[in-house]
Amino acid sequence: MDKDTRLKLAVQKSGRLTDPSLDILARCGLKLSRGKDQLMGFGENMPLDVLFVRDDDIPDLVQEDVCDLGLVGLNVIEEKRLALAARGVQANFDSLRKLDFGRCRLSIAMPEGTNYEDAGSLAGKRIATTYPHLLGQFLAHHGVEAQIVTLSGAVEIAPRLGRADAICDLVSTGSTLAANHLVEVETVLESHAVLIRTPIALAPVKNAWVERLLMRIDGVQQVKESKYIMLHAPRAALPEIRRLLPGSESPTIIPLEGHPDRVAIHAVCRENVFWETLEGLKAAGASALLVLPVEKMLA
Ligand code: ATP
Ligand code: ZN
């Protein structure tokens, strides 16, 4: 019975995606109570339960219809998609939303001082990775024949151990590469977290909650950078002020009692408002500037 009414969402149990995943769910209004085993989180105020698993298992859980939804890196999904295709199986998950966390890239890196011109320089090399399918696709696309050394972890030390001439691994800041005296030479995939769902039709109640969740996610992602800005300005400076307001559509313009040549302007800016912007607005004649965070937004 539950299976027909409560959504099941897979989230990484412990890793880089865990906190941001729980954070976005909380911002969407979900109150979770976690059971003793910590494997399941029960949604107290939404018919949505969270299953905590290893990130690599998330596509499978959605593929096998154990979970309706999953929060996972694009890198994991795309590797899985290719792995399934190699076995002649069609991937059974749809990407619903690109999320603004878990940003990283799958890159090829080589020891410092290696001569590198273009992908052709990888010909005949041994490349260590935990992403053999994505790497294979990249090499095939560039018509390069190289040896893929599939490892289950600690890829960055493979060159020093003499097991590989290059690596293909996830990079965010590049500090791990630098610590291992490796330099990035190619980007195979730009990645971020995504919300995936089973393409199997869900019961109408569940579908309605998926739609609601998506709307809330969109709201949450929009407000992150958004600010509400209020200021006073000379009427004559309106065009200049509007040009300076970052990412605002139609500001509200309010007359100021006793000041026919000045107005109050209220606007939602869909980008962060920096000091430089405020200084520019002030130089254009604005005064009484106030920038407020936006808590929720529903278009
Ligand atoms: P698990 O035990 O769940 O298998 P893991 O070691 O595979 O954990 P993490 O290192 O926590 O996973 O990374 C999870 C995801 O976070 C990656 O698949 C990727 O989408 C994203 N990510 C973001 N930045 C990085 C980074 N610098 N290195 C690795 N992954 C990153
Ligand atoms: Zn993993």
Side-chain angles (χ1 to χ4, degrees):
M1 196 46 210
D2 253 13
K3 187 155 166 54
D4 294 327
T5 55
R6 296 188 68 84
L7 284 168
K8 209 174 272 171
L9 164 71
V11 165
Q12 190 184 21
K13 185 174 159 64
S14 96
R16 292 171 203 261
L17 299 179
T18 310
D19 286 345
S21 297
L22 292 175
D23 181 61
I24 198 166
L25 292 172
R27 284 166 188 264
C28 287
L30 178 71
K31 283 201 171 61
L32 267 191
S33 60
R34 268 175 98 160
K36 272 212 194 75
D37 58 1
Q38 306 273 297
L39 282 177
M40 280 279 282
F42 179 79
E44 292 176 6
N45 56 347
M46 289 188 203
L48 184 153
D49 300 327
V50 173
L51 197 67
F52 293 98
V53 294
R54 285 200 56 199
D55 69 340
D56 316 70
D57 295 335
I58 295 176
D60 287 329
L61 290 167
V62 175
Q63 176 87 16
E64 289 154 19
D65 203 28
V66 177
C67 289
D68 310 297
L69 301 166
L71 283 171
V72 64
L74 182 70
N75 50 306
V76 171
I77 297 171
E78 291 309 312
E79 178 69 16
K80 190 76 203 180
R81 204 186 288 284
L82 293 174
L84 288 167
R87 296 191 346 237
V89 181
Q90 166 101 32
N92 246 344
F93 32 82
D94 294 341
S95 291
L96 291 178
R97 281 298 182 280
K98 170 179 176 176
L99 303 168
D100 55 13
F101 61 88
R103 280 179 195 286
C104 58
R105 53 197 183 276
L106 183 65
S107 290
I108 298 178
M110 297 186 88
E112 286 166 7
T114 312
N115 259 335
Y116 188 88
E117 271 172 35
D118 53 29
S121 307
L122 296 167
K125 302 279 193 236
R126 295 165 304 158
I127 313 173
T129 190
T130 53
Y131 295 87
H133 295 94
L134 281 167
L135 174 59
Q137 179 180 258
F138 173 89
L139 294 172
H141 179 79
H142 287 86
V144 173
E145 289 216 20
Q147 189 192 332
I148 298 173
V149 182
T150 306
L151 301 179
S152 55
V155 166
E156 67 281 359
I157 59 167
R160 247 187 307 155
L161 298 179
R163 296 181 73 183
D165 309 299
I167 67 163
C168 173
D169 203 7
L170 294 175
V171 185
S172 51
T173 59
S175 55
T176 307
L177 290 186
N180 287 286
H181 304 287
L182 297 166
V183 283
E184 248 177 296
V185 294
E186 295 284 350
T187 303
V188 173
L189 179 81
E190 292 278 356
S191 189
H192 46 78
V194 279
L195 176 69
I196 55 168
R197 69 158 277 173
T198 165
I200 294 174
L202 298 172
V205 239
K206 285 172 104 178
N207 231 349
W209 270 101
V210 173
E211 291 304 317
R212 267 175 103 166
L213 188 65
L214 286 178
M215 218 157 59
R216 292 183 186 188
I217 287 176
D218 292 343
V220 166
Q221 299 211 116
Q222 264 177 19
V223 299
K224 249 201 181 153
E225 297 270 284
S226 295
K227 294 284 179 278
Y228 192 75
I229 180 163
M230 304 197 277
L231 55 92
H232 291 177
R235 244 178 222 287
L238 264 175
E240 172 69 355
I241 301 252
R242 289 190 60 167
R243 195 183 60 77
L244 289 170
L245 286 174
S248 73
E249 276 139 37
S250 40
T252 307
I253 308 202
I254 310 156
L256 281 174
E257 191 69 25
H259 299 275
D261 54 339
R262 284 181 82 76
V263 287
I265 303 173
H266 291 188
V268 172
C269 294
R270 287 179 192 248
E271 290 164 39
N272 221 332
V273 179
F274 297 104
W275 281 110
E276 288 74 12
T277 311
L278 294 184
E279 286 157 5
L281 289 165
K282 198 160 165 51
S287 61
L289 291 134
L290 206 56
V291 180
L292 306 170
V294 175
E295 163 98 9
K296 289 192 174 69
M297 200 188 272
L298 202 62

